[in-house]
């Protein structure tokens, strides 16, 4: 029984049409008329589904117009609902009224694909900057992506607040630290933040368009560079989507090694984040200690797998690095030391009252808001949402390892830090289990090439949260579209909510506790 | 507090000499370079890092040279928040169209003699992103570059070596 399909059946009645293009049909998918597109959203809302992603695809090469897709999630279930818009009438009904994250998804569709969400409250460009020619829609097939675009005059209209004592603080794009660029516009009274508006898109490299120029094999390298800190999870997401299209069954050993890489990436990033969060609360001690532990892990990665971040080691059909008995030994020894030291540091974190003062009750994202923005990953789990693809859409070995997913409800900086603490411990446990029971055998098989006009979907739990990939093969079996949805695409909305009412000096701390990707968002 | 102090003493100093292959090169030019930093930059080289479009991989390794194991401060290298205090810009790329103006402004705000170091395969050549409607490619397409550090991302040791090379050049 599927909750999602049951919910839309009464809305669609006889109109219900399964989309056979999604192969294999592990994720149900259906096509509806434009009129019904918003109605199905209403039905989804009524069963408390979340909107995982919304995107458009230029399907003119198939002799169709634009395909607009909305992907909903309810627990472990996903459902993709597609509608079509003819080329000469590129509009579709907006879902923003029902689902908040559609607000940015649709601005992005409008800016980059030139398809208009009718009824959307705010169609300022997103990722596209005001100095792009208005009719530059890079995701359209007719767009020549190889040429630089001329700059035109234009101005981005920020939301304004007025009144006595209200002032504005613009920050970025070049920030004070060693971090990615983005712009934040604060309206404040005294020290209190009245409103924060994010303005992202500075690191837009044209990644989604670039995919269309690459072979399926090369695609995994590009996916590994969507967000460098999540290179393992992104290449895994891409490969899994591709493998569902070709029906490739990845050798068991390769799947376990993929999980090993994924967990190592999670630990390394969480260690870095915990140090950085404490550092932003003026507790530099923790930054140095945590970055030392992180460095130990990266060196082991380099030694065993040939890359500090295990980049390019997950490839279509399997993995490109194996582990032997000595390697296992090395990891087990490393983890033993790591866990011992980590636990000592966590005690120090826990007992430090001046730190507690900064991290507790700061930057609260209440569970209702988290649900409203359809938050994912660490941010969701710190705000009461029990979401983890490793548990809900497990691939081996996660289907065999029972997983403790930490969920907190306070939604503050501390909760987001503490979810990480628990996850580091859990990942260490998982890695031990993987190494104990790693099956033997091949690590790579032929991935194959997808058939024309098929599509594939995957959802992988990276260290930030759920990463969604959707691939579509063109008429000549080339990549027609690669949709990437990094967790940051939704979680950035959470930061805007969480900082309200906080003081401006706490912003860096709140931001660190979210630590969302700019590159993964801007693409 | 006692726990903190204990942990500090237990950890001791973890800073390492650089890996041998790089270390030997450094010993070769080592004293000369330290001299250069001492004379030219009055014992301290101040760096402003600019991400002009990277995937964040390069930034992670730049962070790493600040960790206690690589400890770049021992060479008198430290990172600053403002380009106006900087002797060197450490730029990762590819330069996106949306960052081009910000990068030029940062460059113009940096006082002479400004050293520019391009970091990563993307910074050196545009990397996998290449040149397109959204990406201008390598850093030197936009501002003059003194030294290139290849790698995807370059290791912390390669970064340190490249930075020291840039100082030696001028
Ligand atoms: S060189 Fe590699 S790590 Fe650095 S920005 Fe480019 S893709 Fe990312």
């Amino acid at each position: 029984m599927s909750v999602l399909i049951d919910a839309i059946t009464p809305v669609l009645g006889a109109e219900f049409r399964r989309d056979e293009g999604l192969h294999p049909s592990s994720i149900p998918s259906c096509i509806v008329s434009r009129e019904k597109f918003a109605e199905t959203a209403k039905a989804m809302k009524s069963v408390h589904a979340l909107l995982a992603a919304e995107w458009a695809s230029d399907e003119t090469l198939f002799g169709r117009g634009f395909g607009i897709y909305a992907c909903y999630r309810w627990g472990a279930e996903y459902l993709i609902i597609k509608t079509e818009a003819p080329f000469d009438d590129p509009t579709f009904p907006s879902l923003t009224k029902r689902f908040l994250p559609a607000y940015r998804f649709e601005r992005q569709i409008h800016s980059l694909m030139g398809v208009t969400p009718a009824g959307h409250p705010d169609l300022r460009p997103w990722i596209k900057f005001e100095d792009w020619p208005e009719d530059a829609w890079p995701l359209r097939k007719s767009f020549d992506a190889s040429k630089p675009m001329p700059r035109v005059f234009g101005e981005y209209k920020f939301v304004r607040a007025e009144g006595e004592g209200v002032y504005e603080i613009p920050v970025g794009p070049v920030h004070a630290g060693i971090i990615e660029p983005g712009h934040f516009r604060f309206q404040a009274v005294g020290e209190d933040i009245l409103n924060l508006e994010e303005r992202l898109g500075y690191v837009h490299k044209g990644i989604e368009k670039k995919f269309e120029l690459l072979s399926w094999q090369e695609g995994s390298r590009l996916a590994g560079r969507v967000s460098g800190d999540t290179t393992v999870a992104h290449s895994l997401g891409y490969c899994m989507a591709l493998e569902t299209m070709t029906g490739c069954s990845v050798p068991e050993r390769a799947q376990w090694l993929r999980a090993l890489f994924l967990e190592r990436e999670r630990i390394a990033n969480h260690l870095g984040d915990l140090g950085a969060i404490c550092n932003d609360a003026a507790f530099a001690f923790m930054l140095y200690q945590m970055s030392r532990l992180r460095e130990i892990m990266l060196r082991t990665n380099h030694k065993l797998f040939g890359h500090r971040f295990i980049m390019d080691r997950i490839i279509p059909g399997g993995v490109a690095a194996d582990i032997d008995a000595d390697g296992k030994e090395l990891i087990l020894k490393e983890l033993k030391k790591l866990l011992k030291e980590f636990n000592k540091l966590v005690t120090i974190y826990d007992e430090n009252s001046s730190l507690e003062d900064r991290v507790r009750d700061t930057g609260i994202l209440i569970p209702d808001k988290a649900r409203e923005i359809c938050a994912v990953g660490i941010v969701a789990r710190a705000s009461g949402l029990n979401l983890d693809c490793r548990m809900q859409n497990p691939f081996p070995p996660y289907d065999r390892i029972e997983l403790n997913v930490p969920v907190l409800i306070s939604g503050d900086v501390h909760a987001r830090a503490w979810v990480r603490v628990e996850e580091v411990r859990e990942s260490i446990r998982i890695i031990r289990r993987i190494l104990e029971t790693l099956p033997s055998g091949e690590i790579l098989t032929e991935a194959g090439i997808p058939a024309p006009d098929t599509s594939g979907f995957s959802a992988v739990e990276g260290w930030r949260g759920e990463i969604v990939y959707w691939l579509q093969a063109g008429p000549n079996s080339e990549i027609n579209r690669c949709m990437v949805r990094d967790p940051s695409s939704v979680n950035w909305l959470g930061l805007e909510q969480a900082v309200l009412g906080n003081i401006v000096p706490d912003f860096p701390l709140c931001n660190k506790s979210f630590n969302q990707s700019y590159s993964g968002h801007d693409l | 507090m006692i726990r903190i102090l204990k942990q500090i003493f237990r950890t001791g100093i973890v800073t390492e000499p650089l890996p041998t292959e790089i270390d030997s090169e450094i010993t070769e030019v080592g004293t000369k370079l330290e001299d250069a930093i001492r004379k030219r930059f009055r014992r301290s080289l101040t760096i402003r890092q600019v991400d002009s479009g990277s995937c964040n991989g390069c930034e992670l390794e730049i962070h790493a040279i600040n960790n206690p194991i690589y400890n770049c401060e021992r060479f008198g290298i430290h990172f600053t928040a403002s380009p106006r205090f900087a002797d060197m810009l450490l730029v990762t790329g590819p330069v996106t169209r949306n960052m081009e103006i910000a990068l030029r402004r940062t460059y113009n705000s940096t006082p002479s003699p400004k050293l520019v170091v391009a970091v990563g395969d993307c910074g050196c050549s545009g990397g996998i992103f290449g040149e397109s409607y959204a990406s201008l490619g390598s850093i030197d397409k936009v501002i003059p570059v003194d030294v290139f550090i290849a790698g995807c991302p370059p290791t912390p040791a390669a970064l340190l070596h490249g930075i020291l090379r840039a100082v030696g050049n001028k």
Side-chain angles (χ1 to χ4, degrees):
Chain A
M1 266 297 95
S2 159
V3 172
L4 297 179
I5 293 189
D6 286 355
I8 55 159
T9 318
V11 180
L12 299 178
E15 239 194 85
F16 184 84
R17 197 150 55 90
R18 278 231 181 200
D19 182 4
E20 300 302 332
L22 203 75
H23 171 86
S25 52
S26 57
I27 308 289
S29 162
C30 65
I31 305 183
V32 303
S33 64
R34 276 194 282 181
E35 294 70 42
K36 295 275 183 189
F37 193 58
E39 270 181 61
T40 49
K42 193 173 153 198
M44 292 292 103
K45 188 82 188 180
S46 69
V47 293
H48 308 289
L50 301 173
L51 181 68
E54 191 184 0
W55 67 96
S57 170
D58 182 341
E59 296 177 351
T60 45
L61 296 183
F62 302 109
R64 305 192 289 261
F66 297 101
I68 297 101
Y69 298 80
C71 174
Y72 299 93
R73 171 176 9 83
W74 187 90
E77 271 181 45
Y78 287 88
L79 171 66
I80 295 179
I81 296 181
K82 175 189 182 186
T83 188
E84 288 179 348
F87 190 77
D88 45 14
D89 176 24
T91 61
F92 66 100
S94 162
L95 308 182
T96 301
K97 258 190 262 152
R98 308 256 174 240
F99 289 98
L100 208 60
Y103 169 69
R104 280 196 186 155
F105 293 147
E106 289 174 354
R107 278 175 75 183
Q108 201 166 328
I109 293 173
H110 181 242
S111 300
L112 303 181
M113 187 67 89
V115 184
T116 309
H120 191 288
D122 172 11
L123 283 181
R124 286 174 299 164
W126 188 247
I127 295 177
K128 181 178 196 163
F129 275 11
E130 62 285 346
D131 64 0
W132 294 27
E134 213 188 311
D135 60 352
W137 296 301
L139 291 181
R140 286 196 179 184
K141 292 288 157 197
S142 53
F143 182 84
D144 179 3
S146 63
K147 283 206 205 78
M149 293 180 298
R151 282 190 198 275
V152 301
F153 179 78
E155 195 191 347
Y156 190 77
K157 297 226 167 11
F158 284 96
V159 175
R160 300 248 160 191
E162 278 169 15
E164 210 183 301
V166 179
Y167 64 101
E168 200 175 74
I169 315 171
V171 181
V174 180
H175 296 304
I178 305 171
I179 41 172
E180 301 177 82
H183 184 88
F184 299 108
R185 189 67 66 107
F186 298 94
Q187 264 85 30
V189 174
E191 288 208 306
D192 296 337
I193 301 172
L194 276 187
N195 187 44
L196 160 65
E197 188 177 1
E198 292 155 359
R199 212 264 163 121
L200 304 173
Y202 288 91
V203 282
H204 175 67
K205 296 179 270 292
I207 290 178
E208 286 184 317
K209 188 71 177 183
K210 183 80 192 182
F211 271 112
E212 296 168 19
L213 304 172
L214 299 180
S215 70
W216 295 98
Q217 199 68 29
E218 289 166 330
S220 75
R221 284 194 71 232
L222 182 56
R225 285 158 180 79
V226 165
S227 176
D229 48 36
T230 321
T231 175
V232 170
H234 268 283
S235 43
L236 179 56
Y238 172 87
C239 290
M240 280 171 61
L242 172 59
E243 287 151 8
T244 62
M245 294 167 83
T246 58
C248 158
S249 72
V250 177
E252 271 238 293
R253 186 178 177 83
Q255 289 189 315
W256 289 58
L257 287 170
R258 286 174 169 190
L260 171 69
F261 300 162
L262 195 62
E263 297 308 322
R264 289 189 69 79
E265 177 169 271
R266 191 178 325 274
I267 299 176
N269 278 292
H270 284 358
L271 291 176
D273 276 3
L274 284 167
I277 292 170
C278 293
N279 190 48
D280 275 1
F283 192 45
F285 162 84
M286 200 62 92
L287 174 68
Y288 294 115
Q289 294 287 343
M290 289 288 181
S291 58
R292 184 173 62 85
L293 298 186
R294 180 182 149 86
E295 180 67 25
I296 293 173
M297 285 205 75
L298 299 184
R299 288 185 171 194
T300 312
N301 285 349
H302 185 77
K303 196 160 170 196
L304 295 180
F305 312 120
H307 195 285
R308 286 164 55 93
F309 302 151
I310 327 186
M311 212 175 233
D312 300 331
R313 296 303 180 265
I314 294 185
I315 52 178
V319 291
D322 205 345
I323 189 168
D324 57 13
D326 290 347
K328 282 190 200 173
E329 197 57 40
L330 183 66
I331 291 188
L332 290 174
K333 244 174 57 200
E334 171 217 59
L335 290 184
K336 192 165 163 209
K337 179 168 174 228
L338 191 88
L339 186 61
K340 198 167 137 214
E341 298 220 16
F342 181 70
N343 284 336
K344 277 193 194 120
L345 294 174
V346 172
T347 312
I348 292 175
Y349 169 92
D350 221 15
E351 287 181 350
N352 191 322
S353 49
S354 59
L355 188 61
E356 193 178 348
D357 204 37
R358 292 289 307 279
V359 296
R360 293 231 187 215
D361 296 332
T362 304
I364 298 177
L365 181 68
I366 58 167
D368 278 355
K369 280 276 180 226
R371 173 161 266 289
E372 208 179 313
I373 63 155
C374 302
V376 296
I378 302 167
V379 173
R381 293 192 284 277
S383 294
L385 299 185
N386 186 7
L387 294 174
D388 191 322
C389 303
R390 289 176 300 168
M391 182 172 70
Q392 280 136 1
N393 293 82
F395 64 88
Y398 295 112
D399 54 352
R400 258 153 278 179
I401 298 175
E402 97 293 355
L403 193 73
N404 302 314
V405 178
V407 179
L408 277 77
I409 55 164
S410 57
D412 53 2
V413 171
H414 168 73
R416 286 183 287 276
W418 201 257
V419 166
R420 289 173 166 102
V421 167
E422 295 288 346
E423 287 186 4
V424 167
R425 291 176 175 152
E426 185 63 8
S427 295
I428 291 178
R429 196 183 63 85
I430 295 175
I431 293 181
R432 284 185 175 148
R433 277 290 301 278
I434 291 175
L435 293 181
E436 266 166 33
T437 40
L438 186 68
S440 55
E442 295 294 309
I443 57 165
L444 189 63
T445 178
E446 189 64 44
I449 298 290
D453 205 4
T454 54
S455 54
F457 172 92
S458 74
V460 168
E461 191 75 16
W463 66 272
R464 276 196 188 89
E466 173 203 53
I467 295 169
V468 179
Y469 268 79
W470 182 82
L471 290 168
Q472 183 181 40
N476 301 313
S477 285
E478 77 285 16
I479 303 183
N480 186 59
R481 177 89 166 90
C482 174
M483 188 283 297
V484 185
R485 209 237 52 220
D486 191 79
S488 313
S489 307
V490 284
N491 285 350
W492 272 118
L493 286 164
L495 178 65
E496 280 186 348
Q497 299 295 327
V499 298
L500 297 182
N502 282 261
I503 56 174
V504 178
D506 270 343
F507 173 72
L509 183 59
C510 297
N511 191 17
K512 256 307 146 25
S513 72
F514 276 80
N515 193 14
Q516 294 304 304
S517 165
Y518 298 74
S519 183
H521 169 280
D522 297 351
L523 296 172
Chain B
M1 198 62 218
I2 301 260
R3 275 191 215 277
I4 299 180
L5 291 175
K6 256 198 185 153
Q7 175 72 18
I8 291 174
F9 285 124
R10 208 173 325 132
T11 310
I13 293 175
V14 291
T15 305
E16 289 181 350
L18 293 171
T20 34
E21 70 281 6
I22 304 222
D23 208 25
S24 59
E25 275 183 73
I26 297 236
T27 31
E28 226 173 86
V29 274
T31 36
K32 229 166 49 195
L33 286 172
E34 292 220 23
D35 262 10
I37 290 193
R38 209 169 290 141
K39 281 206 204 98
R40 225 165 243 293
F41 300 101
R42 307 211 166 188
R43 290 164 180 246
S44 89
L45 174 76
T46 305
I47 302 179
R48 168 71 245 203
Q49 195 269 333
V50 186
D51 175 345
S52 70
S54 95
C55 77
N56 199 30
C58 286
E59 275 64 31
L60 293 180
E61 293 296 46
I62 295 173
H63 270 292
I65 66 173
N66 281 296
N67 76 25
I69 294 172
Y70 293 98
N71 184 15
C72 64
E73 298 242 355
R74 71 179 132 154
F75 303 110
I77 298 170
H78 64 261
F79 286 80
T80 173
S82 168
R84 296 192 197 279
F85 306 144
D87 304 308
M88 175 188 285
L89 295 180
L90 194 60
V91 192
T92 59
V95 186
T96 61
R97 174 195 156 91
N98 289 352
M99 268 305 284
E100 182 192 355
I101 295 172
L103 176 61
R104 282 189 202 281
R105 281 194 191 147
T106 309
Y107 181 79
N108 291 336
S109 312
T110 311
S112 301
K114 36 193 160 196
L115 292 172
V116 177
V117 175
V119 174
D121 289 352
C122 295
C124 296
S125 70
I128 193 166
F129 307 105
E131 287 173 34
S132 70
Y133 75 98
S135 161
L136 278 66
S138 59
I139 311 291
D140 65 354
K141 293 259 157 61
V142 179
I143 56 173
V145 171
D146 297 287
V147 164
F148 294 89
I149 307 176
C152 182
T155 59
L159 282 168
L160 277 178
H161 185 236
I163 293 169
L164 294 176
R165 194 149 46 95
V167 174
N169 272 354
K170 277 246 162 161

